[in-house]
Amino acid sequence: MEKYFLGFKDEIPKYLQIAKHIEKLINAKKIREGERLPSIRALAKLLEVNTVTIVNAYKQLQQKGYAVQKIGSGTYAKGKEENRNFLKEYSSIYKKVSGGLVKDYIDFTGETTCSEFFPVDTFKNVLNKVLDRDGADAFTYQNALGYEGLRESIKNHFWEKKIDSENIVIVSGAQQGIDIVSKSLINVNDNIAVEKPTYSGALNVFKGRRANIFEVDMLKDGVDTVSFRKILKKNKINCFYVMSYFQNPTGSTYSIEKKREILNLAEEYDFYILEDDYLSELIFDDNIKYESFKSLDINDRVIYVKSFSKIFLPGIRMGYLIPPYKFSERIQNSKINTDRTTSSLMQRALDMYIKEGYWKSHMKNLSEAYRDRYKFMKKNIKDVLGDKVEFNSPGGGLHFYLKISDKINMNCLELFNKCKKEKVIITPGVLFYKNSIDGEKYFRLGFSQTDIDKIERGIKIIDKLLK
Amino acid sequence: MEKYFLGFKDEIPKYLQIAKHIEKLINAKKIREGERLPSIRALAKLLEVNTVTIVNAYKQLQQKGYAVQKIGSGTYAKGKEENRNFLKEYSSIYKKVSGGLVKDYIDFTGETTCSEFFPVDTFKNVLNKVLDRDGADAFTYQNALGYEGLRESIKNHFWEKKIDSENIVIVSGAQQGIDIVSKSLINVNDNIAVEKPTYSGALNVFKGRRANIFEVDMLKDGVDTVSFRKILKKNKINCFYVMSYFQNPTGSTYSIEKKREILNLAEEYDFYILEDDYLSELIFDDNIKYESFKSLDINDRVIYVKSFSKIFLPGIRMGYLIPPYKFSERIQNSKINTDRTTSSLMQRALDMYIKEGYWKSHMKNLSEAYRDRYKFMKKNIKDVLGDKVEFNSPGGGLHFYLKISDKINMNCLELFNKCKKEKVIITPGVLFYKNSIDGEKYFRLGFSQTDIDKIERGIKIIDKLLK
């Protein structure tokens, strides 16, 4: 309780001083995300103020998005970012390794295709052809939707003309897509549902909007709809964020039945599905068919987000959104207010790249290359790590999600630190949960940056460390 | 009062139903931005509920950022966007004209340099040199700060090495810079101050954060610091958004004394200055010296935002931020959550363009070309429009801001519509104010897209219409 104590200044109302003090404690991580604040009575006693003062202070905190009241059980802190210290350490080594600043590491953190697969020469030729064709036009602002040619290409090559090119918004990658959708649809204290575990970049955007986040457990075929229903019955959910294929981090893919069920729930409980389709090009298991939530959506409930960066060239920063018609204008305005428009030259180049058939053949090659790595790694984890870990086979994508066996007394942060010393970088599970403790036994191994030799050496080292 | 009436449903608390109803009225523009909501007593009577229910409904609206309470004078609606219908019309013709979809228009809306001045060939050569030099590296993710080479170039070529390249964050244009800063520093119901009038793209971002916006009148040498002080005394202001040179739309430039005064106010009243340096390369009056708020800032109070797009190539989407040291990490995180990183290839190309001296010579040419247009237009407005308008000479930048003489019974929307019929597009003043009515007599004439011939013809048409 000690940390709650503060000296009052005369000129400012006490309830504001108390709220500000608690806000500072939350920002400084002295009160943890999800921590229960003291009861009104107890805090009033400690600070020698009226209980009404504490009631008002807690209301002020709620209003600013720093606390959430749960009926019958008190008030809880709502932090902005979790795991700050660890995140710093992780992102520092992550940057160094992925930026090539330190060498000889085995990098299992990769989320995007490897630079050895970049079609640099082809893309260079395409860029030059665009510049010769369009001249100065390639450097003007596009309209907020994006370059018309590219939107047409997306419609024709990825959607069999079943969508309207006027309803596609070009964005600078999936992260921006999620940010723009959030600005359009999520207000402070709105409720949103996410998969548990989920992509931390999305979690951070929702936290930044000061939304209330509800996690729904991931199963092998998508989220647990029984517990999702329970949440929906009790809370007005605005939006559900979902990765339909090779979910990050679990690698799970939604069954078509589950997709239909969730689409029905969206209609029944009036929420929108934010579908992040981030790696569906890389299907290695022939039993998995591609059918997005968007393609099954008859009630206009899905906001579809697609990144071209992850699978193609991370540095070009490109992706697109397909919002429900009713949000189309709102989302365009949000794009304008975010950064006006995405690079015109890059949009034109990508358009030509797709139209001339390069995209299709490149994806074919990429898929074959990664399929080999995937098979090798799956066998390697099974044969070498054996019952030290539990895992499912995603059947596609660029990573595996592993649980350290309960028999082994080690959590993922310890494993991360030990690996680091051996020049192996893994992604600890704690990054994917609202409350980090839920991810303590998990870690993710991505194979996008590791060839077969590195996979073999890396897994051997992890095996040694888990002993 | 009629619009406030609603039929209650049983299962939801009445105060929530009332709040939701009013929220809808605000979103539908049936309650206007800044409109006073009915008194608690009157609304309670109308809806036949307890006054406490209305108190709670208004509190809920405040919490969601849809209303603001002014002590002693009641509760006022806080809308998200103003002028929606007009904005739609304006942006539709704006897009058509600036996108080249309709021809033969005289376009006075230009805010960015004209495509005839784009250094397409040079930039193409630079792009190819970068691709030959860097290969696949040109398409990888950069770290969140941006490409190190470009940050070094900015430090050396624009800041005489007086800033730290580790404190520069590359962004995708000024709009994104403002958005990222807002996410980092502005929470719902925080107070922020802006110039009156100001850039609508910034206003929209602040409204999107559901901040409370205080306007400070622009004078010839910067904002009216007497009324600014009054605002500061009564309200805790977090942030002041300022355009230091050729302010948009007034064209005013801050005197060095006023800059110093505002920097002192920032320290005294603990707020931060968001400086948008958007066209300071184009100084035509030799009495104007370049000295940014940032360069005068000894207390680390300034967040400097610079766009390369406006002055150079709009389509490359590039700019940078220099935050105070204490916000550095927060702003980097915000950039990551917004779109991870700006296009790697474009950063490298711009870096080489600056390093090889092209930037400097291009700016010299551009400045000479626009100086001629500026002088011509200034003389033309004086000679042709005479006392039909009032205006100041900005001494630089790319536009003039004019007030329709009080003797002429016409507002800027009428003038806009008449001009449009004559194929002349101007920017009405209403876009630059929190409450559009304040801008009724003003309009902006930009000359970035109009050569001398078009300027002459355009002014003649405006003269005819003002008669």
Side-chain angles (χ1 to χ4, degrees):
Chain A
M1 283 292 279
E2 213 170 280
K3 63 191 173 193
Y4 286 95
F5 194 77
L6 74 157
F8 290 113
K9 291 173 198 164
D10 272 351
E11 64 273 31
I12 306 163
K14 281 186 181 167
Y15 83 95
L16 282 180
Q17 295 186 55
I18 297 168
K20 193 83 205 163
H21 179 67
I22 293 178
E23 189 181 319
K24 275 186 191 162
L25 289 173
I26 292 172
N27 282 335
K29 298 281 142 205
K30 294 195 175 152
I31 299 174
R32 306 276 312 168
E33 159 84 27
E35 186 175 324
R36 193 177 178 283
L37 300 182
S39 74
I40 287 161
R41 208 170 288 265
L43 189 54
K45 205 177 151 197
L46 176 81
L47 301 178
E48 297 176 356
V49 297
N50 212 302
T51 51
V52 176
T53 308
I54 306 296
V55 169
N56 286 332
Y58 282 4
K59 270 194 191 150
Q60 171 76 7
L61 284 167
Q62 271 180 267
Q63 190 168 330
K64 296 276 264 178
Y66 276 93
V68 58
Q69 208 186 354
K70 295 186 187 167
I71 294 156
S73 94
T75 305
Y76 292 80
K78 202 166 107 187
K80 220 171 168 177
E81 272 154 275
E82 261 238 274
N83 298 316
R84 215 171 201 173
N85 288 332
F86 170 67
L87 259 177
K88 253 192 199 170
E89 194 197 324
Y90 174 73
S91 71
S92 133
I93 183 72
Y94 174 78
K95 272 181 211 162
K96 277 184 202 153
V97 173
S98 64
L101 292 178
V102 291
K103 304 282 176 193
D104 310 325
Y105 273 75
I106 295 174
D107 178 11
F108 282 126
T109 63
E111 292 188 316
T112 59
T113 48
C114 185
S115 60
E116 65 181 272
F117 298 134
F118 290 176
V120 179
D121 292 335
T122 315
F123 200 73
K124 185 180 158 192
N125 288 337
V126 166
L127 268 176
N128 279 301
K129 273 171 100 171
V130 166
L131 285 168
D132 291 341
R133 184 192 67 188
D134 298 345
D137 286 346
F139 294 108
T140 53
Y141 278 136
Q142 298 307 135
N143 85 44
L145 289 177
Y147 176 57
E148 203 183 334
L150 177 59
R151 287 184 285 114
E152 281 293 325
S153 282
I154 290 169
K155 174 185 161 183
N156 298 336
H157 293 265
F158 303 135
W159 291 91
E160 298 170 334
K161 305 189 181 182
K162 284 175 191 157
I163 54 161
D164 187 350
S165 69
E166 288 299 301
N167 200 31
I168 297 173
V169 184
I170 307 293
V171 293
S172 308
Q175 186 71 37
Q176 186 181 69
I178 296 167
D179 181 53
I180 284 174
V181 170
S182 298
K183 279 185 195 152
S184 314
L185 306 185
I186 304 172
N187 258 314
V188 66
N189 286 329
D190 279 351
N191 296 327
I192 91 139
V194 300
E195 297 160 327
K196 177 185 183 180
T198 190
Y199 167 52
S200 56
L203 267 184
N204 288 336
V205 174
F206 305 142
K207 285 182 185 173
R209 295 297 293 172
R210 308 207 77 73
N212 300 321
I213 297 166
F214 292 79
E215 293 176 296
V216 193
D217 280 325
M218 267 311 266
L219 307 176
K220 271 188 192 176
D221 65 341
V223 288
D224 176 359
T225 44
V226 176
S227 52
F228 194 15
R229 266 176 208 277
K230 282 185 194 154
I231 292 170
L232 289 166
K233 270 181 195 158
K234 278 195 195 162
N235 307 277
K236 172 77 191 90
I237 298 290
N238 276 19
C239 181
F240 172 49
Y241 171 68
V242 61
M243 286 166 276
S244 35
Y245 283 81
F246 320 121
Q247 197 256 2
N248 185 6
T250 61
S252 298
T253 290
Y254 281 72
S255 67
I256 189 152
E257 294 76 26
K258 196 145 262 184
K259 279 182 234 175
R260 290 229 165 87
E261 188 183 355
I262 290 169
L263 285 162
N264 288 336
L265 285 176
E267 188 64 10
E268 190 180 342
Y269 289 96
D270 188 24
F271 65 87
Y272 290 87
I273 297 165
L274 175 54
E275 177 177 28
D276 185 355
D277 180 5
Y278 83 119
L279 278 181
S280 61
E281 290 82 357
L282 300 180
I283 298 180
F284 310 137
D285 178 340
D286 296 337
N287 294 317
I288 300 178
K289 300 284 165 239
Y290 179 63
E291 226 155 350
S292 59
F293 276 92
K294 187 76 191 173
S295 67
L296 297 168
D297 176 24
I298 50 168
N299 294 312
D300 214 19
R301 285 277 166 194
V302 177
I303 308 147
Y304 177 88
V305 182
K306 177 75 203 167
S307 161
F308 289 125
S309 305
K310 284 209 176 56
I311 190 75
F312 182 50
L313 295 169
I316 68 164
R317 311 309 306 130
M318 195 95 71
Y320 66 95
L321 284 177
I322 312 174
Y325 282 97
K326 61 181 284 198
F327 295 140
S328 191
E329 195 200 329
R330 224 197 281 181
I331 281 177
Q332 275 181 59
N333 285 336
S334 188
K335 168 69 180 167
I336 295 173
N337 290 333
T338 299
D339 71 348
R340 305 209 124 214
T341 169
T342 291
S343 166
S344 170
L345 174 61
M346 289 301 186
Q347 292 190 61
R348 288 162 192 261
L350 181 60
D351 171 40
M352 189 179 279
Y353 191 86
I354 295 169
K355 280 208 177 86
E356 303 213 335
Y358 296 126
W359 177 273
K360 211 174 160 187
S361 64
H362 180 57
M363 283 306 133
K364 196 166 164 279
N365 295 338
L366 210 58
S367 195
E368 277 164 18
Y370 278 124
R371 185 193 296 258
D372 293 341
R373 286 194 191 179
Y374 170 82
K375 283 186 181 163
F376 181 82
M377 187 151 175
K378 184 175 151 184
K379 190 170 179 313
N380 219 256
I381 294 174
K382 260 192 196 151
D383 293 350
V384 178
L385 297 182
D387 64 359
K388 293 191 190 73
V389 296
E390 293 165 28
F391 79 109
N392 295 318
S393 303
L398 290 172
H399 67 262
F400 291 87
Y401 196 54
L402 296 89
K403 186 181 173 206
I404 303 168
S405 164
D406 290 332
K407 289 173 289 182
I408 297 174
N409 184 22
M410 191 187 296
N411 70 33
C412 64
L413 294 181
E414 287 168 64
L415 182 62
F416 169 80
N417 286 318
K418 285 183 179 182
C419 281
K420 203 174 111 185
K421 278 186 199 143
E422 305 270 350
K423 295 197 162 186
V424 174
I425 309 295
I426 62 169
T427 305
V430 294
L431 295 175
F432 303 107
Y433 298 80
K434 204 174 112 188
N435 301 312
S436 55
I437 198 161
D438 293 334
E440 265 196 332
K441 294 293 278 187
Y442 294 88
F443 62 104
R444 191 185 67 184
L445 294 183
F447 51 86
S448 77
Q449 307 294 329
T450 47
D451 57 23
I452 283 184
D453 172 55
K454 280 186 176 170
I455 291 173
E456 193 169 14
R457 283 192 290 133
I459 301 278
K460 255 188 203 153
I461 290 169
I462 293 169
D463 179 57
K464 189 184 76 185
L465 298 174
L466 281 176
K467 263 173 192 160
Chain B
M1 284 291 280
E2 212 171 281
K3 64 190 171 191
Y4 287 96
F5 193 77
L6 72 158
F8 290 113
K9 290 173 200 164
D10 271 349
E11 63 274 30
I12 306 164
K14 282 186 180 167
Y15 82 95
L16 282 180
Q17 296 186 55
I18 297 168
K20 195 80 205 164
H21 179 68
I22 294 178
E23 190 181 317
K24 275 186 191 162
L25 290 173
I26 292 172
N27 282 334
K29 300 279 143 207
K30 296 197 173 151
I31 299 176
R32 304 277 311 168
E33 158 85 28
E35 185 175 323
R36 193 176 178 285
L37 300 181
S39 74
I40 287 162
R41 209 169 289 264
L43 190 55
K45 204 175 154 199
L46 177 82
L47 300 177
E48 298 177 351
V49 297
N50 212 303
T51 51
V52 176
T53 307
I54 307 296
V55 170
N56 285 332
Y58 282 6
K59 270 194 193 150
Q60 171 76 8
L61 285 166
Q62 270 179 267
Q63 190 168 328
K64 295 275 264 179
Y66 276 93
V68 58
Q69 206 188 356
K70 295 186 187 168
I71 293 154
S73 93
T75 304
Y76 292 80
K78 203 167 107 187
K80 221 170 167 179
E81 272 154 273
E82 261 238 89
N83 295 316
R84 213 168 203 175
N85 289 333
F86 171 68
L87 259 178
K88 254 193 200 170
E89 193 197 326
Y90 174 74
S91 71
S92 133
I93 182 71
Y94 173 80
K95 271 181 215 163
K96 276 184 203 153
V97 173
S98 63
L101 291 177
V102 291
K103 304 283 176 192
D104 310 325
Y105 274 76
I106 296 175
D107 177 12
F108 283 126
T109 64
E111 292 189 317
T112 58
T113 48
C114 186
S115 61
E116 66 180 271
F117 297 135
F118 290 176
V120 179
D121 292 335
T122 314
F123 200 73
K124 184 180 158 193
N125 289 336
V126 166
L127 268 176
N128 278 302
K129 273 170 101 170
V130 166
L131 285 168
D132 291 340
R133 185 192 66 187
D134 297 345
D137 286 347
F139 294 108
T140 54
Y141 277 139
Q142 298 308 135
N143 85 44
L145 289 176
Y147 176 56
E148 202 183 335
L150 177 58
R151 287 185 284 115
E152 281 293 323
S153 283
I154 290 169
K155 173 186 160 181
N156 297 335
H157 293 264
F158 303 135
W159 290 92
E160 299 170 332
K161 304 189 181 183
K162 283 176 191 156
I163 53 159
D164 186 351
S165 69
E166 287 299 301
N167 200 32
I168 297 172
V169 185
I170 306 294
V171 293
S172 308
Q175 186 72 35
Q176 186 181 69
I178 295 166
D179 180 54
I180 284 174
V181 170
S182 298
K183 279 184 197 154
S184 313
L185 305 184
I186 303 172
N187 258 315
V188 65
N189 287 329
D190 279 349
N191 297 325
I192 91 138
V194 300
E195 297 160 327
K196 179 186 182 182
T198 191
Y199 168 52
S200 56
L203 268 185
N204 288 337
V205 174
F206 304 141
K207 284 181 185 171
R209 295 296 293 172
R210 308 207 78 73
N212 300 320
I213 297 167
F214 293 80
E215 292 177 296
V216 193
D217 280 325
M218 265 314 266
L219 307 176
K220 272 188 192 175
D221 64 342
V223 287
D224 176 358
T225 45
V226 176
S227 53
F228 195 14
R229 266 175 208 278
K230 281 183 195 156
I231 292 172
L232 290 167
K233 270 181 195 157
K234 277 195 196 161
N235 307 277
K236 173 75 192 88
I237 299 291
N238 277 17
C239 181
F240 172 49
Y241 172 69
V242 60
M243 286 166 275
S244 35
Y245 283 81
F246 320 122
Q247 199 256 0
N248 186 6
T250 62
S252 299
T253 291
Y254 281 73
S255 66
I256 189 155
E257 294 76 25
K258 196 145 259 183
K259 279 182 234 176
R260 289 229 166 87
E261 188 184 353
I262 291 169
L263 284 162
N264 288 335
L265 286 175
E267 187 65 10
E268 191 180 340
Y269 289 96
D270 187 24
F271 65 86
Y272 290 88
I273 297 165
L274 176 54
E275 177 178 28
D276 185 353
D277 180 6
Y278 84 118
L279 277 181
S280 63
E281 289 82 359
L282 300 180
I283 298 180
F284 309 137
D285 178 341
D286 296 337
N287 295 317
I288 299 178
K289 300 285 166 242
Y290 179 63
E291 225 154 353
S292 60
F293 276 92
K294 187 75 190 174
S295 66
L296 297 167
D297 175 24
I298 50 167
N299 294 313
D300 214 21
R301 285 280 167 193
V302 177
I303 307 148
Y304 177 89
V305 182
K306 177 76 202 165
S307 161
F308 288 123
S309 305
K310 286 211 173 57
I311 191 74
F312 181 50
L313 296 170
I316 69 162
R317 311 308 307 128
M318 194 96 70
Y320 66 95
L321 283 177
I322 313 175
Y325 281 97
K326 61 180 286 195
F327 295 139
S328 192
E329 194 199 330
R330 227 197 280 182
I331 282 177
Q332 275 181 58
N333 285 336
S334 187
K335 168 69 181 166
I336 294 173
N337 289 333
T338 299
D339 71 347
R340 307 211 119 213
T341 169
T342 292
S343 166
S344 171
L345 174 60
M346 289 302 186
Q347 292 191 58
R348 287 163 193 261
L350 181 59
D351 172 41
M352 190 180 277
Y353 191 86
I354 295 169
K355 280 209 176 86
E356 301 212 336
Y358 295 126
W359 178 273
K360 211 174 160 185
S361 64
H362 180 59
M363 284 306 133
K364 196 165 163 282
N365 296 340
L366 209 59
S367 194
E368 276 165 18
Y370 278 123
R371 184 193 296 259
D372 293 342
R373 286 195 191 178
Y374 170 82
K375 283 186 181 164
F376 181 83
M377 184 149 178
K378 184 175 150 181
K379 191 170 179 313
N380 219 258
I381 294 175
K382 259 192 196 151
D383 294 350
V384 178
L385 298 182
D387 65 358
K388 293 192 192 70
V389 297
E390 295 165 28
F391 79 109
N392 294 318
S393 304
L398 290 172
H399 67 263
F400 290 86
Y401 196 56
L402 296 88
K403 188 184 174 204
I404 303 169
S405 163
D406 290 332
K407 289 173 289 184
I408 297 174
N409 184 21
M410 190 186 296
N411 70 33
C412 65
L413 293 182
E414 287 168 67
L415 182 62
F416 169 80
N417 285 319
K418 286 184 178 182
C419 280
K420 203 175 112 182
K421 278 185 199 144
E422 304 270 353
K423 294 198 164 186
V424 174
I425 308 295
I426 62 169
T427 306
V430 293
L431 295 176
F432 303 107
Y433 298 79
K434 203 175 112 187
N435 301 310
S436 55
I437 198 161
D438 294 333
E440 266 197 331
K441 294 294 276 186
Y442 293 89
F443 62 104
R444 191 185 67 184
L445 294 182
F447 52 85
S448 76
Q449 308 294 329
T450 48
D451 58 22
I452 283 183
D453 171 57
K454 281 185 173 168
I455 290 172
E456 195 169 13
R457 283 192 291 134
I459 301 279
K460 256 186 203 152
I461 291 170
I462 293 169
D463 179 58
K464 189 185 76 184
L465 298 174
L466 281 175
K467 262 172 192 159

